[in-house]
Structure formats: C-alpha cells, structure tokens
Amino acid sequence: MRYVWIFVLLMSMVFSGCSHDAEISDVTSHAEETSPATSTFNEATSAAETNTLIQNEGKNEALVDIIGEETKVHQYIMPNSKEMVFEELEPTYEGNERLQITYSVAINYKDALSYYQELTGRPEADYTNAYGYFFDDIFLGDGDDYIEQILVQDQFNRTEIVMIIQNTSRHASNTGNASEDETERSEVNLDSYQTDFENSDTLPQFENEPSRAVVTSGEFGRISIDYLKEGLSLWQSAQHSGFESFEGHYLEKEFDWQNYSGEETWSSLDSTKKVWLREDFMTEEHIIDDMNTKYTYYDPYQEIYYEVSEFVADANEESDDGKILVGNMIYLPGIEDEIFISYNPFVVPTHIRVVDCYFTELFDQTMLYVLKEDEKNTNHKWTKQWISLDYGVVVKQEVYSDDSKLIKLSMLQKATFEEIPYYVFMPRQDVVYKDLTLDLFFRDNHFSKDFSEGFQQTFMQGFFDIDLIDEKNSEAIQLTFDGNRMETMAERRIVKNMNEEEIELVSFREGNAFKVAVPSKEEIYLYPSSINEHQWFQFNSLGFRERSETDQEIIYTFEKNDQGNISGFVNRYDYVINKTTNKFDKIIMYAKDPMTSYVDRSDEVVFSVRNLRSSSDEVFTRVSSYKENFIFAHDDGESYPPWWE
C-alpha cells in the first residue's frame, strides 16, 4: 500500500494556484547558487551509508536515464538518497510528461525540511497537513524541467521525499508539431471578443435581440437538431451527444445597480472561471477575486455535489498556509429541490420556461439562441444564451432581472478538447466537508421535529459519556460528547493486540487529522482518514441518504464520506429512533458500494445506545503530551495498525 496516498496528494495540488513569472527569477537564483543547506546537510549525513547509485557529482544514474543529465532537477535530489522509486503520472493538459520520484534519506525529517527551505529560498514550507510538508511550483529556469511539488514526510522515524516533476525540456517537440488543422480542432480561442467584454461601458440591452440566421443542415458537432422547426419545437428537437472531454475558460461580470436621486448607476465585479467536463463529471475553478476562489465538483455516480471556498487568511485568522478552506457537500437525491448539475444547456429545471429559440451567428459560427424565463427567481428572471452547436456549451450568456436590468454577463474565451484525466474530477482532499443534505431536507418538510426531539430525549447538556453496546458480543464503545455543541469529542474502545493483550484506544478528529491515541505507549498516530473514524452522531459530516419509518421506529440513514475499506465499500449507518421513547436507541452499521446501490449486510453490527452519564474533557488533557506519529495514507483496514505488535 506504498502509494495509496498518491491519489490524495494529486488532488491537493491539481488546482493549486501558480504565479509563474513572480517566482521564476527568485527560485532560479537560489537554485543556481551553492545552497548553505547543502553543507549543513552533508555534515548531518557524513556517517550515513552511501548509495551505490549516487555518483560523485550527486546525480542518480537511473534518474539521468529518465530525465537526462543537464536538467537542474538533480540539484533537488538530496545527497545519499536511497530506495529511489519512479512512477509515471497522468500528463498535463499541454501534453507534458509527469514523473513522481520517491526516495528516503537517513536523516531526521526536520533536517530535510531545512534543506528544501534553503534550496527553494522559502523560509517555511508552502503548507503542511497530515501528509507532511509541501513545497509547490518550483521553476528551475527557462527551458528546464518544472517541479510541481516536493513533499517531505516522516514515516515512523524514516524520512521520505516525494517529488513530482514535469518533463518540459526533453520532449517539447511532442506538443509542438501538431498541424494547423489538429490545433484548430483541439483548441479554440475567442480572444477577439475579450477586449470589448472587459472594457465596454455600453451594456447589452434586454430588448435587443440577435439577428436570425438561415441554416440548411441539422448536423453539427455536439448537437443534432431539426433545422426546419421553429421556436419551442426547434428547442425540443435538439439532441446533445454529451461531453467526451471539454475544458472552457470563461470571463464573467456581475452587476450591482443603485439609484441615486432618480439616476440609475451600476458597478461590476469581474471574475474568471475554468470548467472541466467529461461525460457527466464536472469540475469548476472560479477565481472571484484575489482573496476568494471557489471550487465545485459533481460526481454523477454518487450524485454528490461538492463545493470548496478558499479564502486568504487575514492577520487575525489561524492558518498553516495562509488559506482558510470551507467545504460543503450535498447528496442531491436526498433533498426535494430540483437541482441539475450540468453544462448541457438542454438540461432545464421545470421552473425554467423556454420563450423563444432560433438560429443566429456569433464569431462566424452558427449558434442556437434561446431566451429562458425563470418562473421562481425574479432577480434572475430572464436568461439569453448563445449555444455553440459544435461545442455543445453556452458561449455567451446574459442574465436580466424582472425589470430588465443586466445582472450577469459571461463569455467563453477558450475551449480545448483534449482528454481530461478522471482525477481532475475528484474533490479536494485537504478539506473536511460539511454535509448540508440533512439541513436542506429538513428545510423542505416537517421531519426535523422528530429528529430534534430524539436528541433532546437521548442526550444532556455539558460533557457526558454514552455507551454503544454491540448486541452480538456485548463489547462497548464509550463516546464522550460536548452536549452544549452536540459534538462527539472522542471515542474510547478496548482492542486486542497480536498477543491477545487488551489495549485502550482513544480516537478523535483534530483539524485535517484523525488521531488514535494509545495510552499504554503514550503515542498518537495521525491519519488523514480511516474506516475506524465513525463520526458517531456527527450528522454534518456523515452524508444523509434517506428517512424511512415503520410502526415502531423512525430510521435516518447516513453514509460515511471517505475512501472506504480495502474493497472500496464505505460504512453506512441506520440511526433508529424508538417511537415509544422518542430516543435514539439503536445504530445499525453495515457496508455499501458507493458506486452502485449494492448493500452488504454480511458483517452488520447492531449497537444499542445506553448508559448516559456526566463526564468531562479530561481525555484530551491525558493525551496532550503524547508523541505524535504521522501516517500518510488512508486507513482502509488492510494493514495491521502500529499498536498491534
């Protein structure tokens, strides 16, 4: 399971911002100089075993065979590297090959961290989390290879370095020999409109309609349509073939209208948006301003919509890397709202009415123009769209209020159609997502009453403990709660090691890490996630799936949102409210395949909720001084835990 964590690592850097020009000169100057860290490091490792692959000039022969001898990447491979492993990753959208280099060094990870701080000219790592310390976007010089990321991590007192590099020097011809026809098909630039779009003081008017165009065929790229029809019939005849792969760059303007002494004035906020589409998968990166970027993802298999807001932290906010991340998610079938997550312009909610539809031209291309009316939202009452029949997406859009004021204007600036790897569509893993499904479900109906009463009847104010008793073997899990915030603080259980000796484990989440404390060893093990983190009663973290009811019980079903066990199955939980007592008196845990509807109850566990009693937060005082050990992989249950031996 050496590379289980690679997928998570990739997700953490796929959308990391790069200010290339700003960093090239600074980083290159440091890379070309003899770093003070080199001498410091050599002194620290003089007694280390010499690797036979390391030459006198410090270049690894195997690495030279892969990336050549001249590249400055070799300066970033630490002396006395061992156990070097290479793994080819998905190429970039531009076609650059990507290589992951993993190796270990026989020094303390803090010394390795200092080495890269000096070599990159950065006083601190760019950011740190449960995986380790990250340095992003290292530009070595014009025409040289580019280092996407360096990770320094400590694995059980063993220092490991992971580097991801792009081959931007040796195979430039691979991406530069395309014919004009191939380039035209794979990439479309619409920059001719950009100047007018960004700088025009004359706004589009609602009453202005585009001219009509005459077409003689209904077969286009992404869309086929009965060109002989008109209006609503023309719209209804359109067939979208779906998205093989599409990347679009949009410019957007949002308008704010004010009335001063009877005179209408407006101001606008400009932003940029990138969208990646493949089949029904979708990812967006919306740069709202210098302080705020929003990422959205849609997983069509699980029908889950994810949203991450990334804010630049101010001086009063605590942040390891200068950023504040807020993540939310919604399981769409679990709410009653009609929500469609799609860039297919023909997927329209029932409250949207098509008023008019005909052919027009834009940028010398045939477009389908449509006017839509939103019967629920007066602020976004009218939407005009220019749909590319070749690309299958909206190229231009104008949104107006019910009094015909322009509210939003967007324009596609660039479109590419090269194959997009699926990992682009996986949500970021460096943020804890709050599940909003249950809140939205209760907003639309009256069921929140029985749910809140279940809390009131089951729990108490202040700190308290409660037991979950396994009905099959009578083993107990002790939960410590903060009743004032209705938050599970910690879970305590007794397990057996390989010698059948009982060991106490205390587990809890703190930030981006799931911590498992072993009091007998006075050590804590930190995981990014684990199948053993059950998030008991944490309904904003668990994903709500459905509510069901029998004569005696009300059942709320939740699903764990993580990578699951070794088979890919995730934990599912039925929280049962007894109608007689109005208490949560039972939790049923079983497995589910997140990609299908298949449920596996062969290892089902039924817990009784018992023994409510007052408590305190002393458990955290008890473990606060324990030694911390980082484990940089999701715990899927395949390997024995460190405390088992």
Side-chain angles (χ1 to χ4, degrees):
M1 299 303 294
R2 181 182 182 91
Y3 291 104
V4 171
W5 61 270
I6 290 177
F7 184 75
V8 176
L9 170 62
L10 286 173
M11 288 302 95
S12 71
M13 62 85 181
V14 164
F15 299 111
S16 61
C18 303
S19 179
H20 294 197
D21 295 336
E23 290 192 71
I24 288 178
S25 59
D26 292 340
V27 176
T28 302
S29 63
H30 283 281
E32 291 175 347
E33 296 172 358
T34 302
S35 170
T38 304
S39 58
T40 302
F41 174 82
N42 287 336
E43 293 173 3
T45 59
S46 58
E49 179 182 353
T50 302
N51 190 313
T52 56
L53 289 178
I54 301 299
Q55 304 176 28
N56 292 333
E57 64 271 25
K59 293 181 181 179
N60 183 284
E61 292 178 354
L63 185 58
V64 168
D65 291 340
I66 296 176
I67 66 174
E69 186 173 2
E70 300 304 322
T71 173
K72 296 174 183 175
V73 167
H74 294 287
Q75 298 181 16
Y76 287 78
I77 301 295
M78 299 186 70
N80 299 317
S81 59
K82 298 181 179 182
E83 302 172 352
M84 186 169 284
V85 176
F86 308 105
E87 180 170 348
E88 184 178 351
L89 304 180
E90 291 280 355
T92 67
Y93 301 135
E94 294 81 11
N96 294 335
E97 296 174 346
R98 298 169 68 243
L99 179 71
Q100 178 170 282
I101 307 167
T102 305
Y103 65 90
S104 61
V105 288
I107 64 170
N108 185 279
Y109 80 95
K110 293 182 179 179
D111 293 326
L113 183 62
S114 297
Y115 177 86
Y116 283 113
Q117 287 171 344
E118 291 284 351
L119 193 58
T120 60
R122 304 176 188 182
E124 301 289 344
D126 293 337
Y127 60 95
T128 180
N129 57 30
Y131 300 105
Y133 299 84
F134 292 83
F135 298 85
D136 285 346
D137 302 325
I138 301 168
F139 299 90
L140 306 183
D142 293 338
D144 208 325
D145 291 327
Y146 153 58
I147 301 178
E148 285 186 13
Q149 191 170 72
I150 297 174
L151 167 63
V152 179
Q153 56 182 1
D154 177 27
Q155 290 193 322
F156 305 109
N157 298 318
R158 174 176 172 270
T159 300
E160 189 169 81
I161 310 298
V162 182
M163 295 176 57
I164 299 175
I165 68 171
Q166 286 187 23
N167 189 340
T168 57
S169 59
R170 297 185 67 208
H171 305 294
S173 59
N174 287 357
T175 59
N177 293 334
S179 67
E180 291 185 8
D181 290 341
E182 290 172 338
T183 302
E184 185 176 351
R185 285 196 298 270
S186 64
E187 182 172 309
V188 179
N189 285 287
L190 305 175
D191 292 334
S192 60
Y193 186 76
Q194 182 170 343
T195 302
D196 292 339
F197 176 82
E198 290 183 326
N199 302 321
S200 175
D201 290 329
T202 304
L203 300 184
Q205 302 298 310
F206 177 73
E207 59 269 16
N208 294 339
E209 298 290 341
S211 59
R212 295 174 181 263
V214 177
V215 301
T216 57
S217 172
E219 295 298 326
F220 297 89
R222 295 283 97 194
I223 297 173
S224 61
I225 194 167
D226 188 344
Y227 68 97
L228 297 176
K229 294 185 176 181
E230 296 181 353
L232 183 59
S233 296
L234 176 66
W235 171 263
Q236 293 172 338
S237 72
Q239 298 291 323
H240 197 293
S241 62
F243 298 107
E244 294 180 1
S245 274
F246 172 84
E247 178 183 343
H249 297 195
Y250 287 85
L251 287 175
E252 295 189 347
K253 279 182 177 286
E254 293 195 33
F255 297 88
D256 181 39
W257 292 83
Q258 302 290 337
N259 190 315
Y260 294 103
S261 302
E263 180 180 354
E264 293 281 359
T265 62
W266 56 267
S267 59
S268 65
L269 174 65
D270 295 359
S271 62
T272 60
K273 179 184 289 185
K274 294 181 182 179
V275 57
W276 293 264
L277 307 174
R278 182 170 179 177
E279 300 162 4
D280 292 326
F281 289 93
M282 181 209 75
T283 292
E284 290 180 336
E285 178 194 52
H286 188 188
I287 302 176
I288 299 171
D289 54 40
D290 293 339
M291 305 290 289
N292 184 7
T293 300
K294 180 179 290 186
Y295 302 90
T296 56
Y297 311 86
Y298 178 61
D299 181 342
Y301 291 137
Q302 300 190 61
E303 298 182 271
I304 297 178
Y305 169 78
Y306 299 86
E307 181 178 284
V308 179
S309 294
E310 180 181 282
F311 304 97
V312 175
D314 60 33
N316 298 321
E317 294 176 306
E318 294 185 6
S319 173
D320 292 333
D321 59 357
K323 298 176 181 178
I324 302 296
L325 298 177
V326 178
N328 293 313
M329 59 187 294
I330 302 173
Y331 175 63
L332 297 184
I335 62 177
E336 296 186 359
D337 274 355
E338 188 181 30
I339 298 178
F340 296 95
I341 309 297
S342 176
Y343 267 76
N344 181 343
F346 301 99
V347 176
V348 179
T350 56
H351 61 86
I352 301 294
R353 182 175 70 92
V354 174
V355 178
D356 199 4
C357 179
Y358 57 84
F359 295 107
T360 188
E361 286 192 357
L362 185 67
F363 307 126
D364 299 323
Q365 295 185 29
T366 301
M367 302 278 175
L368 188 68
Y369 169 77
V370 60
L371 173 62
K372 299 176 180 178
E373 179 187 9
D374 190 330
E375 298 178 338
K376 293 174 61 176
N377 190 340
T378 58
N379 191 46
H380 292 70
K381 181 71 171 178
W382 307 100
T383 298
K384 296 181 177 183
Q385 294 178 332
W386 285 256
I387 301 169
S388 169
L389 297 168
D390 289 328
Y391 315 150
V393 296
V394 174
V395 171
K396 178 182 177 183
Q397 178 170 282
E398 300 170 1
V399 180
Y400 296 87
S401 62
D402 59 345
D403 57 355
S404 302
K405 288 186 176 67
L406 182 64
I407 301 300
K408 187 175 182 179
L409 178 63
S410 61
M411 170 63 66
L412 177 67
Q413 294 293 294
K414 181 181 178 181
T416 57
F417 307 93
E418 297 177 357
E419 182 174 307
I420 301 174
Y422 281 109
Y423 68 74
V424 172
F425 303 101
M426 302 306 294
R428 291 176 61 157
Q429 298 296 303
D430 56 349
V431 59
V432 177
Y433 292 91
K434 177 181 179 180
D435 195 293
L436 302 179
T437 312
L438 187 64
D439 292 338
L440 295 174
F441 175 76
F442 287 150
R443 183 197 65 181
D444 298 330
N445 54 59
H446 64 281
F447 295 129
S448 60
K449 182 178 179 181
D450 59 54
F451 195 80
S452 60
E453 188 171 353
F455 269 106
Q456 294 172 10
Q457 296 297 323
T458 307
F459 304 126
M460 64 173 63
Q461 295 294 310
F463 290 101
F464 63 88
D465 289 344
I466 199 167
D467 294 333
L468 302 182
I469 309 297
D470 187 330
E471 293 187 355
K472 184 176 181 180
N473 56 29
S474 299
E475 293 179 355
I477 297 175
Q478 177 183 304
L479 306 180
T480 297
F481 280 82
D482 181 350
N484 297 327
R485 297 188 297 173
M486 267 322 306
E487 179 178 343
T488 307
M489 303 293 291
E491 170 188 324
R492 179 185 175 275
R493 56 194 171 105
I494 304 297
V495 299
K496 291 184 178 180
N497 63 13
M498 61 182 296
N499 300 319
E500 292 297 308
E501 299 168 336
E502 291 189 344
I503 297 177
E504 177 190 9
L505 301 181
V506 179
S507 57
F508 55 94
R509 173 159 288 276
E510 188 170 88
N512 289 332
F514 174 64
K515 299 185 176 184
V516 180
V518 186
S520 61
K521 293 178 174 289
E522 295 191 356
E523 292 190 344
I524 296 180
Y525 300 89
L526 285 75
Y527 297 86
S529 57
S530 170
I531 59 167
N532 293 312
E533 181 184 13
H534 299 289
Q535 299 173 327
W536 303 110
F537 293 97
Q538 298 306 288
F539 301 121
N540 285 332
S541 299
L542 293 170
F544 172 68
R545 292 298 176 261
E546 63 182 6
R547 178 189 184 275
S548 56
E549 195 169 344
T550 68
D551 292 340
Q552 292 82 31
E553 299 173 332
I554 301 172
I555 304 167
Y556 284 88
T557 300
F558 296 84
E559 200 167 289
K560 181 79 177 302
N561 299 307
D562 63 9
Q563 300 175 54
N565 62 21
I566 185 60
S567 301
F569 281 52
V570 298
N571 287 336
R572 181 171 268 216
Y573 308 86
D574 288 343
Y575 281 78
V576 180
I577 299 176
N578 186 307
K579 285 186 175 180
T580 302
T581 63
N582 294 325
K583 292 182 178 181
F584 285 98
D585 71 348
K586 189 165 41 178
I587 301 174
I588 305 172
M589 182 176 69
Y590 49 98
K592 181 185 178 297
D593 182 353
M595 308 302 289
T596 70
S597 59
Y598 177 71
V599 169
D600 181 7
R601 291 183 177 269
S602 59
D603 295 322
E604 177 181 282
V605 181
V606 180
F607 296 98
S608 295
V609 182
R610 298 288 183 270
N611 305 328
L612 177 69
R613 57 200 181 275
S614 297
S615 181
S616 69
D617 61 349
E618 63 83 21
V619 62
F620 297 102
T621 304
R622 182 158 57 109
V623 304
S624 60
S625 61
Y626 290 179
K627 176 187 175 183
E628 292 190 338
N629 302 280
F630 289 89
I631 299 177
F632 302 95
H634 168 73
D635 173 21
D636 60 9
E638 179 187 27
S639 303
Y640 288 114
W643 55 85
W644 188 74
E645 296 182 357

